[in-house]
Amino acid sequence: MNVRRSATALAALAALCTAAAPAAFADASPSPKPSGPALPKGLYGTKDPQFDGVWRQSLALLAQDAVGVTPAKSAIDWLAGQQCEDGGFAGYRADPAKACDPKKGEFTDATAAAVQALAAVGGRSSAVEKGVAWLKKHQNDDGGWGMNPGGPSDANSTSAAVGAFAATGTDPKGVKSAKGGKTPYDLLLGLQLGCDAKKGERGAFAYTADKGGAGAAANDLATAAAALATQGKGFVFEPAGKDDGKAPEPLDCGKGKGGAKDGGKAGGGEPAGVAEAGQAAAAYLADTMAEHGRHLLSSMPGAKDQPDFGGTADAIIALAAGEHSATAAKPLQWLQSEKNGALAWAKGDPGALGKLVLAAHAAGADPRSFGGVDLVQRLNATGPKPESVSASGSQADSGKDADGEKKDDDKGGVGGVWWTVGVFMVAGIGIGFLLSGRKKQQL
């Protein structure tokens, strides 16, 4: 079921969908180490940011803003200061005064995530406009984007760009390539597997177009990203006010209705519409998670069949974006169970915590009561103290410890009493991601 392409491309794909960024995202500058330079002021997390600094910072800011937390000015300044002169972003710039390499030092995914974050927190319109202009400039002729400027278009980078446009009020359908007039959806629809594919893979998306003649292969992480993009949304959106409880509709592969001739995608035939493509992708994700025990499995090359926590969070966000929060409820409950390991995976890591907060928010759950843990408090603790917390999001449980977990009332906690505060402990325990190694639990 996993795409069998180069290890580098697949590793980048897995990393991007699990709140990390590829190793290629870093510039050649020395990165902070325990015995070296101090971590930059305003940066979230304590682990080496060389591979995921911009990505994890963007997710942290987006998650905080989504739940009523105003991030520290230093955190916003740090992210804005990472922007290259031409508007793009690298994965991390140890020395922002050093010019970026526009050919290999800037990345679609990092730029798209930063644009979404800076647009959300406000006050950075110039940086946002430059980032959007950079994305438009580097759109490929087929309507999509690759990880690097001019690189082969892939589902994840293209979906990230769609999210950036959506977050800034630009209709992705109107973003057309200079040559050929192709939109992001022209590229994405061409990557979806149709009725010629195996029954269990219909509706899924491939990571990139097949160039070797072996046929497109379904990839869960690409599908989760594309399922969100086909809804025309980014990482943050208002949760659906209602959910009729109906499961998403799979491809209709009945004779004359979406068959290989009429409705096939990458597997053959004409592509379906964007809405139908999103429904089919959501149905594939729901079925796949149910098959594996309410979660997705890792897509890393050579990885064992182990849970993919970040990918599962992405799938939940995509389902919620399509107004299928009832379908997303079971995998969300699975993530909340301490025994399944998602909370341990995310502890101390701002990117992972941001993903869980966004998944809970999208599905209409409370990230402040996530399996007995206050995810917002944990996220805030990985970076500088927030400027403020909204009245609806400022209740820090005095019956919880520094990690946001419930304390035993017999040990001095004032259990059950909520205090309105705007200050959280800054005690980040970094469990960062490095693409080339990553965590055993996840990648």
Side-chain angles (χ1 to χ4, degrees), residues 110-413:
T111 302
V115 165
Q116 292 186 58
L118 292 174
V121 299
R124 299 286 177 171
S125 59
S126 178
V128 170
E129 290 171 2
K130 287 177 65 178
V132 169
W134 186 95
L135 290 170
K136 290 182 177 180
K137 178 180 178 180
H138 294 292
Q139 185 177 22
N140 290 334
D141 293 345
D142 58 15
W145 285 261
M147 184 185 301
N148 302 93
S153 296
D154 65 75
N156 289 75
S157 295
T158 300
S159 297
V162 167
F165 294 127
T168 55
T170 300
D171 185 355
K173 293 180 181 178
V175 180
K176 299 181 180 180
S177 59
K179 183 178 179 181
K182 299 291 186 179
T183 74
Y185 295 117
D186 287 317
L187 182 281
L188 289 174
L189 293 180
L191 295 179
Q192 190 172 35
L193 278 67
C195 293
D196 281 358
K198 297 178 182 178
K199 186 175 182 180
E201 297 186 359
R202 295 170 183 171
F205 281 76
Y207 175 49
T208 58
D210 173 51
K211 301 295 184 182
N219 185 278
D220 295 350
L221 300 180
T223 304
L228 179 61
T230 52
Q231 297 298 328
K233 297 176 181 178
F235 289 124
V236 181
F237 48 85
E238 285 300 314
K242 61 180 180 178
D243 187 329
D244 59 15
K246 293 182 179 179
E249 298 180 6
L251 287 180
D252 183 356
C253 292
K255 186 176 181 180
K257 295 182 178 181
K261 180 178 180 180
D262 299 322
K265 313 281 179 61
E270 297 298 322
V274 175
E276 292 84 354
Q279 283 286 317
Y284 168 84
L285 291 170
D287 290 346
T288 301
M289 288 191 289
E291 178 184 350
H292 297 316
R294 299 189 292 175
H295 61 80
L296 296 180
L297 297 178
S298 174
S299 292
M300 281 291 285
K304 296 180 180 180
D305 286 344
Q306 57 189 1
D308 185 332
F309 302 120
T312 300
D314 284 337
I316 290 169
I317 293 171
L319 287 169
E323 299 186 5
H324 298 296
S325 54
T327 302
K330 288 186 177 180
L332 186 66
Q333 291 171 356
W334 183 89
L335 283 178
Q336 294 184 64
S337 176
E338 184 176 1
K339 69 178 182 179
N340 292 327
L343 292 172
W345 163 76
K347 189 174 181 179
D349 190 290
L353 287 166
K355 271 288 182 77
L356 295 184
V357 169
L358 291 173
H361 174 265
D366 184 4
R368 293 176 176 81
S369 182
F370 193 90
V373 168
D374 186 338
L375 292 178
V376 179
Q377 182 174 334
R378 282 193 174 187
L379 175 59
N380 291 342
T382 66
K385 184 179 72 173
E387 293 289 331
S388 65
V389 181
S390 71
S392 62
S394 62
Q395 296 176 320
D397 186 357
S398 62
K400 295 179 181 179
D401 60 20
D403 291 325
E405 297 180 355
K406 292 181 179 179
K407 294 193 294 187
D408 188 334
D409 291 348
D410 293 334
K411 296 182 180 180

Side-chain angles (χ1 to χ4, degrees), residues 24-84:
F25 272 28
D27 64 12
S29 305
S31 58
K33 297 179 181 179
S35 59
L39 288 168
K41 180 182 178 181
L43 176 65
Y44 286 85
T46 60
K47 289 294 186 179
D48 189 336
Q50 185 175 4
F51 304 108
D52 72 342
V54 167
W55 185 261
R56 78 193 195 200
Q57 191 85 351
S58 299
L59 289 180
L61 295 180
L62 281 166
Q64 287 184 319
D65 183 77
V67 296
V69 175
T70 301
K73 183 177 182 298
S74 62
I76 300 171
D77 287 345
W78 183 87
L79 181 60
Q82 289 286 298
Q83 190 171 37
C84 301

